[in-house]
Amino acid sequence: MASLPQWVEGARPKTLPAALAPVAAGTGVAVWRLGELTGSVDWALVIPRALALAVSFSLQIGVNFANDYSDGIRGTDDDRVGPFRLTGSGAARPATVKRAAIISLALGGLFGVALVAVAQMWWALVVGAAAIAAAWFYTGGRKPYGYLGLGEVFVFVFFGLVAVNGTALAITGRPSWAAPLASVAIGSLAVALMLTNNLRDIPTDAASGKRTLAVRLGERGTRLLYTTTSLAPFVLMVPVIIAHRPAALVPLALPLALGPVRKVLGGTGAGT
């Protein structure tokens, strides 16, 4: 039986910032939009923000456990380099990891229904169902899309476009021109995060038949795409910075992106 620290490690808490980022960006856009419309912000809106964060965290943990389970039973993780895996290591039974994934995704669904009810965005139930399905079928099912090189596409859509725009819309009830820009920026960073994992796993994924985008592009193509998705968000934020001066804080994060880009372009990644 896996220990509590092993379960925590298996949930991959280091990936949670990827779940926090879209909610934070969507909230930032919403606060700005509300300030423009009313001159003030109703702090009662902390409820939809908290629910959006609960949805995002639950789905992130759920997809991590689902990935652990599905890759583990397929043997993809038998020779894995990188984060600890519950199923692949034999620390937990596959059925138990599967149950943890289902519980996490179900919690995400419950929080999502609550968010939809609070925001009165009933059409978003369809989007939420699609997000849960995407979390499971990334590596689950007979033809997981993660094995076809489509993982980055779905991450861009759900952790970028859907999460940022959905959060902003749930809080304000109104569209904003800044939300799409922020969603593309956050989605690009989510893709960059996935690419770092898939770049590292190119040798083992290729050997196991997992045709991720990194395997299809090869090391050179993956490194170039990683560089683009890591730096493009700073360009996308230029119009927002011009319109909203506090957004000028964004370029301060550029040095944090340049370090990993230099390492990846310099050869770090595959098999490490």
Side-chain angles (χ1 to χ4, degrees), residues 144-249:
Y145 65 84
Y147 281 61
L148 301 175
L150 297 174
E152 285 78 2
V153 174
F154 280 78
V155 162
F156 178 79
V157 170
F158 287 102
F159 279 89
L161 305 185
V162 170
V164 176
N165 287 294
T167 299
L169 195 58
I171 294 174
T172 65
R174 299 176 178 88
S176 167
W177 66 267
L181 284 176
S183 70
V184 173
I186 294 297
S188 296
L189 292 175
V191 169
L193 178 62
M194 176 170 279
L195 286 172
T196 60
N197 292 326
N198 289 343
L199 174 62
R200 177 200 63 213
D201 296 336
I202 284 177
T204 54
D205 283 345
S208 63
K210 187 175 182 180
R211 302 285 294 172
T212 63
L213 182 60
V215 171
R216 292 177 180 276
L217 292 177
E219 284 196 34
R220 183 174 182 275
T222 303
R223 295 181 196 280
L224 292 176
L225 182 58
Y226 172 82
T227 300
T228 301
T229 54
S230 295
L231 301 181
F234 295 96
V235 178
L236 290 167
M237 287 295 99
V238 170
V240 181
I241 293 170
I242 293 172
H244 188 55
R245 290 182 180 178
L249 293 172

